Structures are given as structure tokens and as C-alpha cells.
Amino acid sequence: QWALKVLELQDGVSQDEIKKAYRRMAMKYHPDKVANAGEEIKQQATEKFRTINEAYEHIKRLREKVENVSDQWELKTVWGVGYKFEVK
């Protein structure tokens, strides 16, 4: 759930929506965008950018795991993220 909050998304979003949110947030908080705004602001942007990347990678890993699960399983919660996946 934390990863969705970082990307400012709700449960049940599509992969395309996740990718668009990631790109939007990455552009907004990229450290190069605030290079001239001072060291403190650049450091904050770097931390936020790092968190955005971690959140996106976390969601990608979870979705890849779900795709690799056998067709016989129905998963209600994957690693505590709170998604409901039905793999058939």
C-alpha cells in the first residue's frame, strides 16, 4: 500500500496508470529539475526521487510474482500490499 501512496494512486489501478504516475512523479521530483534551487532542496528532491523509484520497482516485482503464479491459485493479498489478484 505504501508504494501506491508514494505514486499517489488508489488500489486497483492498471499497469499503464502505474507507469504514467511513475513517469509524472519522476519528472516532477528529478534532482536535475531543481539543480539551481539550493543544496537542501536538491537533497530533498533526490530522496523523493529515490522513494518514487523504490515504490515503482516494488509494484513491478509484486506484479511479476503474481503473473508467475500457477493458474490454480487465487491470491487475496500479496506481500501485504492489499491487492486482490485472481489468477485463472
Short mmCIF file of all heavy atoms in Angstrom, two decimals, residues 7 18-28 52:
data_model
loop_
_atom_site.label_atom_id
_atom_site.label_comp_id
_atom_site.label_asym_id
_atom_site.label_seq_id
_atom_site.Cartn_x
_atom_site.Cartn_y
_atom_site.Cartn_z
N LEU A 7 3.17 6.93 -5.19
CA LEU A 7 2.85 7.31 -6.57
C LEU A 7 1.50 8.01 -6.69
O LEU A 7 1.04 8.29 -7.79
CB LEU A 7 2.88 6.07 -7.47
CG LEU A 7 4.24 5.39 -7.59
CD1 LEU A 7 4.13 4.14 -8.46
CD2 LEU A 7 5.28 6.32 -8.16
N ILE A 18 -0.09 3.00 -13.56
CA ILE A 18 1.07 3.00 -12.67
C ILE A 18 2.27 3.60 -13.39
O ILE A 18 2.98 4.44 -12.84
CB ILE A 18 1.39 1.57 -12.19
CG1 ILE A 18 0.26 1.08 -11.27
CG2 ILE A 18 2.73 1.51 -11.49
CD1 ILE A 18 0.32 -0.40 -10.95
N LYS A 19 2.48 3.19 -14.63
CA LYS A 19 3.62 3.69 -15.40
C LYS A 19 3.50 5.20 -15.62
O LYS A 19 4.48 5.94 -15.48
CB LYS A 19 3.71 2.97 -16.74
CG LYS A 19 4.97 3.30 -17.52
CD LYS A 19 5.01 2.57 -18.84
CE LYS A 19 5.45 1.15 -18.62
NZ LYS A 19 5.72 0.44 -19.89
N LYS A 20 2.30 5.67 -15.96
CA LYS A 20 2.10 7.11 -16.17
C LYS A 20 2.35 7.90 -14.89
O LYS A 20 2.98 8.96 -14.91
CB LYS A 20 0.67 7.38 -16.66
CG LYS A 20 0.45 6.99 -18.10
CD LYS A 20 -1.00 7.23 -18.49
CE LYS A 20 -1.28 6.67 -19.88
NZ LYS A 20 -2.69 6.81 -20.24
N ALA A 21 1.86 7.38 -13.76
CA ALA A 21 2.07 8.07 -12.47
C ALA A 21 3.55 8.10 -12.12
O ALA A 21 4.06 9.12 -11.65
CB ALA A 21 1.27 7.37 -11.38
N TYR A 22 4.24 6.99 -12.37
CA TYR A 22 5.68 6.93 -12.09
C TYR A 22 6.42 7.98 -12.93
O TYR A 22 7.24 8.74 -12.40
CB TYR A 22 6.23 5.54 -12.39
CG TYR A 22 7.73 5.52 -12.48
CD1 TYR A 22 8.51 5.66 -11.35
CD2 TYR A 22 8.37 5.37 -13.70
CE1 TYR A 22 9.89 5.67 -11.42
CE2 TYR A 22 9.74 5.38 -13.80
CZ TYR A 22 10.50 5.52 -12.65
OH TYR A 22 11.86 5.54 -12.74
N ARG A 23 6.13 8.03 -14.19
CA ARG A 23 6.82 8.99 -15.07
C ARG A 23 6.52 10.43 -14.66
O ARG A 23 7.41 11.28 -14.65
CB ARG A 23 6.42 8.75 -16.52
CG ARG A 23 7.03 7.49 -17.08
CD ARG A 23 6.64 7.27 -18.51
NE ARG A 23 7.30 6.07 -19.04
CZ ARG A 23 6.94 5.47 -20.13
NH1 ARG A 23 5.92 5.93 -20.85
NH2 ARG A 23 7.57 4.39 -20.54
N ARG A 24 5.26 10.70 -14.32
CA ARG A 24 4.87 12.04 -13.89
C ARG A 24 5.61 12.45 -12.62
O ARG A 24 6.19 13.54 -12.54
CB ARG A 24 3.35 12.09 -13.67
CG ARG A 24 2.83 13.47 -13.29
CD ARG A 24 1.35 13.48 -12.95
NE ARG A 24 1.15 12.85 -11.64
CZ ARG A 24 0.49 11.73 -11.40
NH1 ARG A 24 -0.07 11.07 -12.39
NH2 ARG A 24 0.37 11.25 -10.18
N MET A 25 5.64 11.53 -11.65
CA MET A 25 6.30 11.84 -10.39
C MET A 25 7.82 11.93 -10.56
O MET A 25 8.47 12.78 -9.95
CB MET A 25 5.96 10.76 -9.35
CG MET A 25 4.49 10.65 -9.00
SD MET A 25 3.88 12.05 -8.07
CE MET A 25 4.66 11.75 -6.51
N ALA A 26 8.38 11.07 -11.39
CA ALA A 26 9.83 11.09 -11.62
C ALA A 26 10.25 12.41 -12.27
O ALA A 26 11.29 12.99 -11.91
CB ALA A 26 10.25 9.90 -12.48
N MET A 27 9.46 12.88 -13.22
CA MET A 27 9.77 14.16 -13.86
C MET A 27 9.64 15.32 -12.86
O MET A 27 10.46 16.23 -12.84
CB MET A 27 8.83 14.41 -15.04
CG MET A 27 9.09 13.49 -16.22
SD MET A 27 10.64 13.84 -17.04
CE MET A 27 10.25 15.39 -17.81
N LYS A 28 8.62 15.25 -12.04
CA LYS A 28 8.36 16.33 -11.09
C LYS A 28 9.48 16.44 -10.05
O LYS A 28 9.87 17.54 -9.66
CB LYS A 28 7.02 16.07 -10.39
CG LYS A 28 6.61 17.12 -9.41
CD LYS A 28 5.23 16.80 -8.85
CE LYS A 28 4.79 17.83 -7.82
NZ LYS A 28 3.46 17.51 -7.29
N ILE A 52 10.35 7.29 -5.01
CA ILE A 52 9.47 7.04 -6.15
C ILE A 52 9.98 5.83 -6.94
O ILE A 52 9.19 4.95 -7.31
CB ILE A 52 9.39 8.29 -7.05
CG1 ILE A 52 8.62 9.40 -6.34
CG2 ILE A 52 8.76 7.97 -8.40
CD1 ILE A 52 8.78 10.77 -6.96
#
